[in-house]
Amino acid sequence: MPMNNRVIALCAGLLLAGQVRAEFHLPALPPIPEIPAPRPIDSMPLGNSAAAPEIKLDLPIAPGPFEPTWASIEKNYPGAPSWLREAKFGIWVHFGPQAAGQSGDWYARRIYAPGTLAYENHLKNAGHPSEFGYKEVLRDWNPAKLDPAALVQIYRDAGARFLIIQGVHHDNFDLWNSQYQPWNSVRLGPKRDLLGEWSRAARAAGLHYGVTFHHEYTWWWWQNAFSADQEGPKTGVPYDGNLALADGKGKWWEGLDPRLLYTVNLREYAGVSEAAMSPWNPPPAGLFTRHAAYAKWYATWWALRIMDVIDHYDPDFIYTDGTGTQPFEGSHTGTGVKADAMQRVIAHYYNRALERREKVDTFSVIKFRPKTNGTVNTEEHGIPSDIKIDQPWIAEAPVGDWFYAPNFTYDSGMVIRYIIEAVARDGNAGICVSLLPDGSLDAGSARMLREVGEWMRCNGQGIYGSRAWVRPGEGELIDGKLKMLPGGKLGKKQADFVFGPEDFRFTLGKDGALYAFCLAVPAPETELKLTSLGATANLLGKPIRTVTLLGHTAPTLAWRQTPDALVITSPSTMPCATAIVFKID
């Protein structure tokens, strides 16, 4: 047999044996399908998504054992990686062009909502959204002081061991060199691959990182950009969401299709327009029946953008925002279409991990999905009252808001207590510290992070690698439940919340010791009573041998175990200004 034929035969045999695979490349994005002319607002009922079958997208994925079904994902996933339990505390890098408005979260949408702070700030600082819309914000945004390498070092010094990095928010603007979205940070605004900079900085600092994707919301989130002022000098003048590709001829955005930023007008479906003008609400459950081809295309576009990041940045986890059990389920924030986009993304992601890392040590965050092997959950703003061990989870909250605005409350104590509340219930904590529009930290944020870092260096052995004990803590009860740090965004309410010396939280350290966190710094030489650790309760299963206070340099600490409690006498000086931590062997 000639040599070339022998080589071909050998390669074919190896391919059949599964030892050699042809290199996989992501497909091109099909063009936007024809969009029907819009009908009157609220004139069309949404289709019944509950009765509809799930669409299977025509989207190939990388080869491997993971197939795009939940059954295959659950069967093949080896379990959440150990690094997540070890890391425990991360920083949420929730940063993008919406910071430019200095109006908190959802600035992009709210500039099209008269009466909101964002609308008023936009009028004052930029112009009317019929003339200076969000696309101009994207053009002009330039975070010149953003230095991911320097910021990552600050975050690491604060005790963070992983980063949650925003890839695309609801505004539909990709913060990387996106091959599927021309409205991106390399082509516009800073003209920088921001995700590339963050990922390189995280890797150099030895931090794990994940990338977040919030663009499932986008097609209903932007619908108010198709509206107009209902009163005042600009009454009836359409906002710039109504522009078409041809309208850009001769303008700075020539060649950029507005539909790839603002999507298309879907206000004919009942409830979409009302939801777009509401503070938060998504439309009612249902399908965009007259736009079925577009809906399938949009779900494909959504998936390809995540797969683009997976293939080019190899993150340690991916994160999809939403309020349902999976993106594009036809209800909750996934209203509009019912498709298997998420399963395809996850299967592609884990097959890629096997190909590159020779193991799956990555995970996928799907907010509000019940326990599914292969996914991790989050708890936004709140923390469960009880220990939660059914699935790995990350508690997430911003200091002030998810995007910057003036006059946030910066208090290290509330951040530290939030972390403690999460890890005591077997969770992890991701804290957003919003950056200024130019990409820098303000003085309050920098001081707060330094103080958190000082506390973590003293007490981190009770945090990193820990797991929940038999109970999360003890102390004052409110309506029969353990008093907790209030939920919501971290601000004055949380900073002013008062705990007493009877309020404790527990973790079991990776060294086998029990750690007891006193959420208030007691007065010197105060007797602290931990009733959970009394000899009669016997929750430890053996007598206590030693009790030490982390960061306390004196050789001895007075304590005794009685039938009713472990009684510890606090020393005359304290190592920390927030919570103090006892190590119990």
Side-chain angles (χ1 to χ4, degrees):
M1 182 183 294
M3 179 62 71
N4 59 337
N5 289 341
R6 288 169 56 195
V7 171
I8 291 170
L10 176 61
C11 290
L14 291 173
L15 280 167
L16 289 172
Q19 298 178 40
V20 174
R21 288 189 297 223
E23 187 175 355
F24 175 84
H25 295 284
L26 292 175
L29 178 70
I32 299 176
E34 183 176 353
I35 307 299
R39 292 183 176 177
I41 294 173
D42 291 333
S43 64
M44 288 291 297
L46 284 155
N48 183 356
S49 57
E54 184 177 74
I55 295 172
K56 309 303 179 187
L57 299 182
D58 304 321
L59 179 59
I61 64 171
F66 290 89
E67 298 176 356
T69 66
W70 288 120
S72 176
I73 291 165
E74 289 216 71
K75 174 185 175 183
N76 289 291
Y77 189 71
S82 59
W83 69 256
L84 179 60
R85 180 170 295 282
E86 177 61 32
K88 279 299 178 182
F89 167 44
I91 292 291
W92 219 128
V93 183
H94 200 281
F95 182 65
Q98 291 182 84
Q102 300 191 58
S103 304
D105 203 11
W106 287 28
Y107 170 71
R109 173 164 125 148
R110 289 171 179 158
I111 69 173
Y112 301 99
T116 64
L117 174 66
Y119 178 87
E120 298 302 325
N121 283 344
H122 190 75
L123 282 183
K124 179 173 63 177
N125 299 320
H128 192 267
S130 64
E131 301 164 349
F132 194 108
Y134 190 61
K135 66 184 187 307
E136 279 72 32
V137 174
L138 299 177
R139 177 195 65 193
D140 296 346
W141 176 60
N142 182 22
K145 294 184 180 179
L146 179 67
D147 185 345
L151 287 167
V152 166
Q153 190 56 55
I154 290 171
Y155 300 153
R156 183 171 178 79
D157 290 345
R161 294 295 178 264
F162 67 93
L163 299 181
I164 307 172
I165 304 170
Q166 185 178 107
V168 52
H169 201 243
H170 314 315
D171 65 346
N172 214 18
F173 186 71
D174 289 355
L175 296 168
W176 71 93
N177 191 17
S178 177
Q179 66 173 306
Y180 296 110
Q181 171 56 302
W183 297 88
N184 67 66
S185 64
V186 174
R187 182 166 180 170
L188 296 170
K191 295 184 169 58
R192 294 165 59 182
D193 180 359
L194 299 181
L195 179 55
E197 293 180 30
W198 283 112
S199 63
R200 287 190 294 273
R203 292 279 188 252
L207 300 186
H208 292 278
Y209 79 94
V211 182
T212 73
F213 304 92
H214 308 251
H215 55 308
E216 179 197 17
Y217 289 38
T218 299
W219 58 1
W220 57 262
W221 194 83
W222 268 130
Q223 291 303 302
N224 55 359
F226 297 97
S227 186
D229 285 2
Q230 300 302 303
E231 57 184 33
K234 295 283 188 179
T235 298
V237 178
Y239 300 146
D240 68 329
N242 291 279
L243 294 170
L245 177 63
D247 296 319
K249 186 173 178 58
K251 298 183 173 63
W252 72 263
W253 52 279
E254 183 173 358
L256 288 169
D257 191 339
R259 295 178 302 175
L260 293 175
L261 178 63
Y262 302 114
T263 69
V264 302
N265 189 343
L266 298 164
R267 294 182 300 154
E268 65 189 62
Y269 297 103
V272 168
S273 180
E274 180 182 359
M277 299 307 295
S278 71
W280 184 86
N281 307 76
L287 306 178
F288 299 143
T289 50
R290 280 210 326 131
H291 295 75
Y294 173 74
K296 184 177 180 180
W297 175 89
Y298 186 89
T300 302
W301 186 38
W302 176 91
L304 281 170
R305 287 156 74 181
I306 303 177
M307 292 162 75
D308 185 29
V309 168
I310 290 167
D311 283 15
H312 289 96
Y313 301 90
D314 191 26
D316 296 306
F317 60 97
I318 57 173
Y319 169 122
T320 58
D321 196 9
T323 61
T325 59
Q326 73 176 59
F328 303 115
E329 63 176 319
S331 64
H332 299 85
T333 48
T335 200
V337 69
K338 194 172 180 179
D340 68 343
M342 188 76 253
Q343 299 95 299
R344 291 188 178 275
V345 165
I346 290 179
H348 176 82
Y349 182 36
Y350 294 159
N351 285 337
R352 280 298 203 205
L354 279 173
E355 175 188 334
R356 292 167 167 173
R357 305 175 180 217
E358 299 183 346
K359 61 180 178 178
V360 180
D361 59 350
T362 58
F363 61 86
S364 304
V365 173
I366 302 179
K367 297 170 75 169
F368 299 99
R369 184 168 181 83
K371 181 181 180 181
T372 302
N373 187 37
T375 68
V376 170
N377 213 321
T378 68
E379 297 283 337
E380 185 172 354
H381 297 162
I383 291 173
S385 58
D386 299 317
I387 292 170
K388 178 177 168 58
I389 59 173
D390 61 319
Q391 60 185 154
W393 55 278
I394 302 170
E396 52 180 358
V399 174
D401 206 347
W402 291 106
F403 285 108
Y404 180 81
N407 303 315
F408 287 165
T409 297
Y410 297 111
D411 179 77
S412 59
M414 67 184 178
V415 173
I416 291 165
R417 293 185 181 99
Y418 186 87
I419 296 168
I420 294 170
E421 294 279 32
V423 298
R425 292 163 175 83
D426 214 51
N428 309 272
I431 304 293
C432 167
V433 182
S434 297
L435 298 174
L436 292 165
D438 64 9
S440 64
L441 284 168
D442 65 7
S445 296
R447 172 190 50 76
M448 179 184 69
L449 287 168
R450 284 195 301 271
E451 293 172 357
V452 172
E454 290 168 2
W455 187 90
M456 291 292 284
R457 281 188 288 278
C458 178
N459 302 292
Q461 66 189 87
I463 299 289
Y464 301 121
S466 68
R467 50 184 75 241
W469 189 48
V470 297
R471 59 181 58 170
E474 67 176 51
E476 182 181 349
L477 302 179
I478 298 177
D479 297 329
K481 291 194 172 184
L482 198 62
K483 179 175 72 175
M484 292 179 62
L485 190 74
K489 301 168 185 177
L490 300 179
K492 188 174 183 347
K493 181 179 180 181
Q494 289 75 17
D496 292 345
F497 193 76
V498 177
F499 286 101
E502 72 281 3
D503 294 312
F504 281 86
R505 299 293 181 265
F506 302 115
T507 66
L508 188 64
K510 62 181 180 180
D511 57 1
L514 181 71
Y515 290 87
F517 298 75
C518 184
L519 296 180
V521 177
E525 300 178 4
T526 300
E527 280 202 343
L528 306 173
K529 296 183 177 181
L530 289 80
T531 58
S532 300
L533 303 180
T536 301
N538 196 33
L539 295 179
L540 291 171
K542 58 186 72 173
I544 294 171
R545 292 188 293 114
T546 61
V547 178
T548 55
L549 175 61
L550 299 186
H552 181 53
T553 56
T556 60
L557 187 69
W559 64 274
R560 65 186 186 276
Q561 186 178 28
T562 70
D564 298 326
L566 169 64
V567 182
I568 305 172
T569 302
S570 62
S572 57
T573 59
M574 297 295 168
C576 302
T578 306
I580 60 171
V581 186
F582 296 98
K583 179 180 179 180
I584 300 159
D585 285 307

